[in-house]
Amino acid sequence: DIQMTQSPSTLSASVGDRVTITCRASQSISTWLAWYQQKPGKAPKLLIYMASSLESGVPSRFSGSGSGTEFTLTISSLQPDDFATYYCQQYHSSPTFGQGTKVEIK
Amino acid sequence: QLQLQESGPGLVKPSDTLSLTCTVSGGSITSQNYYWGWIRQTPGKGLEWIGSISSSGSTYYNPSLKSRFTISVDTSKNQLSLKLTSVTAAETAIYYCARQGVVTPYNWFDPWGQGTLVTVSS
């Protein structure tokens, strides 16, 4: 299995902050990476696929970058609706997910 | 708009068989030969891919999981199903179904069903 490691596990931030979440793969996955947002009691929602492609309908303040083993999800200006948990997922081989990063109010 | 809805028993006894169904609406499960996956979420292990199936019936399972899972598709009902035999308390989780891409099950998941909580307890 390819292991996905996210950092930090928890992030405290304020509305308007620029937020960056990192995801590292245990081996190269090219750009076969997706990012999801999950709110309590809800299913994960796709934000980004192919490492940097924004899913239709997702606000442009979300962006993804990276290739190989290191990836980032950036929220350019954090909005109240963005407080949630974020997961990365690789699909280079059998899909695996990161452990999640909770973005909480500072 | 494509929607997925999981259904099944909320409570299962240890060593019993768990059966879940995912009903797809707003589109055909046979459309473009998409893959359809099952994922579960637990506080301890997080999100875990269980396996996927194409509308033609090709199946792929997580090699890290023991082979107690069976995924099937019923195109006449626009449904996919998940069976897990000999359940243990460790398999208490929220179970999700989701659509993937075409050609390969190695893809992202979108959209997801709302999930169904399954508790394994006597």
Side-chain angles (χ1 to χ4, degrees):
Chain A
D1 274 9
I2 297 176
Q3 308 303 317
M4 306 301 292
T5 305
Q6 289 182 233
S7 60
S9 296
T10 306
L11 188 160
S12 297
S14 302
V15 172
D17 283 355
R18 181 181 181 87
V19 165
T20 299
I21 298 168
T22 297
C23 177
R24 289 188 174 87
S26 60
Q27 66 186 72
S28 178
I29 58 169
S30 184
T31 57
W32 304 115
L33 185 100
W35 288 98
Y36 301 88
Q37 176 193 68
Q38 187 177 33
K39 295 182 178 178
K42 301 291 188 183
K45 173 191 168 186
L46 179 70
L47 299 175
I48 303 267
Y49 59 95
M50 289 299 293
S52 61
S53 295
L54 194 67
E55 170 70 351
S56 175
V58 174
S60 58
R61 62 181 179 272
F62 291 92
S63 63
S65 65
S67 66
T69 61
E70 187 150 337
F71 302 85
T72 59
L73 173 70
T74 299
I75 309 172
S76 60
S77 177
L78 197 65
Q79 298 302 301
D81 191 47
D82 301 338
F83 291 98
T85 301
Y86 294 85
Y87 295 92
C88 61
Q89 175 232 326
Q90 67 79 22
Y91 48 96
H92 174 272
S93 59
S94 295
T96 51
F97 294 83
Q99 82 281 12
T101 295
K102 183 177 182 181
V103 176
E104 61 180 26
I105 300 172
K106 192 172 184 178
Chain B
Q1 177 186 351
L2 192 74
Q3 292 187 314
L4 293 81
Q5 175 76 58
E6 305 87 349
S7 58
L11 181 64
V12 183
K13 289 184 169 52
S15 79
D16 279 359
T17 295
L18 167 65
S19 295
L20 297 175
T21 297
C22 173
T23 300
V24 177
S25 60
S28 172
I29 204 167
T30 60
S31 172
Q32 297 185 48
N33 202 29
Y34 280 105
Y35 276 82
W36 304 83
W38 286 97
I39 308 103
R40 65 184 178 184
Q41 185 171 29
T42 61
K45 294 189 110 178
L47 290 161
E48 185 175 44
W49 172 66
I50 296 169
S52 302
I53 189 166
S54 72
S55 55
S56 61
S58 300
T59 52
Y60 294 79
Y61 296 99
N62 185 335
S64 297
L65 297 176
K66 293 182 181 177
S67 55
R68 293 180 291 115
F69 291 96
T70 303
I71 297 173
S72 59
V73 64
D74 186 334
T75 55
S76 67
K77 294 182 179 177
N78 228 31
Q79 291 177 336
L80 59 153
S81 299
L82 174 70
K83 277 189 168 51
L84 172 59
T85 59
S86 303
V87 297
T88 69
E91 285 158 323
T92 292
I94 299 172
Y95 287 77
Y96 296 99
C97 58
R99 191 183 70 177
Q100 296 176 260
V102 299
V103 178
T104 168
Y106 300 157
N107 223 311
W108 61 87
F109 300 94
D110 179 61
W112 297 55
Q114 66 183 32
T116 187
L117 174 62
V118 175
T119 301
V120 180
S121 175
S122 55

